[in-house]
């Protein structure tokens, strides 16, 4: 699994004019990509990493502050544009594999005590955020 994690001061996901997920104030916006060999165990490891990642103000984590997370599925994180000008998506897991694993990341975060908002899997989403810092990291588990 791969995640792009941004420290934010508010973020939202809009689908067809409707806000489907939103966090206000300090938190994390997490774009999650799934590949073919990912497992529920990897989803658990990613959730634990996100919950304890010390990138908020004063090197604190969501577990320290109770800051919310906005988790958005993004298959394009496994795009490969090394050859030519058109990316391939062969490394991205198909929806029936990816969707349950993204949901598992969210479920594991909630089990840890996190407040989690989400996008809508497979939808055309408009993601808006205020990147605080800017601060962005890439995680792989």
């Amino acid at each position: 699994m791969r995640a792009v994690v941004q420290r934010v001061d508010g973020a939202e996901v809009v689908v067809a004019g409707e806000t489907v997920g939103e966090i206000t104030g300090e938190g994390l916006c997490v774009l999650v990509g799934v590949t073919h060999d990912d497992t529920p165990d990897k989803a658990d490891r990613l959730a634990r990493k996100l919950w304890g990642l010390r990138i908020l103000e004063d090197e604190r984590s969501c577990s320290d502050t109770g800051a919310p997370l906005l988790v958005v599925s993004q298959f394009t994180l496994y795009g490969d544009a090394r050859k030519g000008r058109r990316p391939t998506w062969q490394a991205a897991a198909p929806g029936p594999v990816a969707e349950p694993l993204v949901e598992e990341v969210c479920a594991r975060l909630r089990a840890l005590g996190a407040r989690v908002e989400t996008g809508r899997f497979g939808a055309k989403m408009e993601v808006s955020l205020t990147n605080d810092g800017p601060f962005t990291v890439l995680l792989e588990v």
Side-chain angles (χ1 to χ4, degrees):
M1 297 189 92
R2 185 175 284 170
V4 173
V5 184
Q6 297 179 79
R7 183 176 72 192
V8 299
D9 184 19
E12 73 174 345
V13 178
V14 174
V15 175
E18 173 194 358
T19 299
V20 297
E22 180 177 25
I23 61 174
T24 57
E26 182 180 56
L28 298 179
C29 181
V30 184
L31 307 176
V32 177
V34 178
T35 193
H36 300 280
D37 63 352
D38 286 336
T39 63
D41 180 59
K42 286 186 177 184
D44 181 59
R45 289 193 347 241
L46 180 59
R48 290 180 186 284
K49 185 75 166 180
L50 292 167
W51 185 233
L53 192 62
R54 303 180 77 72
I55 64 170
L56 298 177
E57 193 69 34
D58 298 325
E59 295 186 5
R60 294 181 300 163
S61 67
C62 289
S63 66
D64 295 330
T65 66
L69 299 95
L70 176 64
V71 177
V72 180
S73 64
Q74 189 166 357
F75 79 94
T76 61
L77 292 181
Y78 278 100
D80 184 353
R82 290 178 287 183
K83 279 181 68 175
R85 295 176 292 164
R86 183 175 295 140
T88 66
W89 314 111
Q90 294 172 347
V97 173
E99 185 174 13
L101 290 172
V102 173
E103 289 175 0
E104 185 69 17
V105 170
C106 296
R108 300 285 175 107
L109 280 165
R110 289 181 180 115
L112 292 167
R115 189 181 124 229
V116 179
E117 295 285 324
T118 64
R120 185 172 294 152
F121 192 91
K124 182 178 182 322
M125 296 178 273
E126 297 172 359
V127 180
S128 302
L129 58 92
T130 301
N131 190 314
D132 180 20
F135 202 117
T136 303
V137 295
L138 176 64
L139 298 178
E140 289 206 53
V141 296

